[in-house]
Amino acid sequence: MADEKPPTGKTKHGELTLDQIASVLPGLGPIMKDVGERYWVCFHAAKGGNWELAAYELRSVRSLFNTASVTRPKYAKMLADYTAQHIEPLLQFCAKKDWTGFEAAYHKSVDVANELHRQVNHGEIVWKLPPDPPQNFDLGPQKK
């Protein structure tokens, strides 16, 4: 058994071992960069009345957290709890088109995220909402 070849995956460029594939999975850094951008778009979309885009961005954050839970399982419970306590309620505010509730819950979720960074010994990471809306989306209400 010791001389058994480890399982591999094939690409058009050659074979990769499972260990090689695992070593290139994204860590939290690149994933959280995407989370931050989507969270920024989400806020300004909701503020502008494009509730569908705001909800889309939140669902994308939830999906990114699911990926992060696989690649960094030690954070899986924290990400699941955050999703249940913050992302899901924000999605409900989107469904109701409730800006007042959304804004309060959003700012609380940012505060909690920054506290979680401190709890996992990354207090140097303090996310803040960029003051200007992204220019690459129509953030206003959309016609059906």
Side-chain angles (χ1 to χ4, degrees):
M1 289 278 190
D3 53 331
E4 213 176 286
K5 185 178 175 187
T8 60
K10 294 181 182 184
T11 73
K12 65 181 181 178
H13 305 288
E15 290 188 7
L16 298 171
T17 68
L18 288 178
D19 287 344
Q20 288 171 318
I21 294 168
S23 73
V24 297
L25 291 174
L28 286 183
I31 291 172
M32 289 302 178
K33 182 179 178 195
D34 289 343
V35 166
E37 183 160 332
R38 290 185 177 280
Y39 228 55
W40 169 45
V41 172
C42 166
F43 178 87
H44 287 288
K47 185 176 183 180
N50 190 339
W51 292 103
E52 293 81 10
L53 178 58
Y56 171 80
E57 296 295 342
L58 287 168
R59 289 189 303 271
S60 294
V61 167
R62 184 176 57 196
S63 177
L64 288 164
F65 283 176
N66 288 337
T67 298
S69 294
V70 171
T71 63
R72 296 298 184 264
K74 72 179 183 178
Y75 297 114
K77 181 176 181 345
M78 180 176 52
L79 293 168
D81 290 348
Y82 186 89
T83 297
Q85 295 166 14
H86 300 284
I87 303 299
E88 297 302 333
L90 285 168
L91 281 165
Q92 292 172 10
F93 286 120
C94 287
K96 294 188 276 188
K97 300 179 180 181
D98 176 356
W99 170 248
T100 303
F102 179 93
E103 183 180 30
Y106 183 94
H107 289 300
K108 180 180 178 188
S109 74
V110 170
D111 291 342
V112 169
N114 288 326
E115 174 56 31
L116 290 171
H117 291 145
R118 288 187 287 279
Q119 288 178 18
V120 297
N121 298 315
H122 281 291
E124 73 279 7
I125 300 172
V126 180
W127 191 83
K128 65 180 188 175
L129 175 66
D132 298 320
Q135 300 298 303
N136 56 330
F137 289 101
D138 181 348
L139 301 171
Q142 300 297 298
K143 294 180 179 158
K144 297 289 178 190

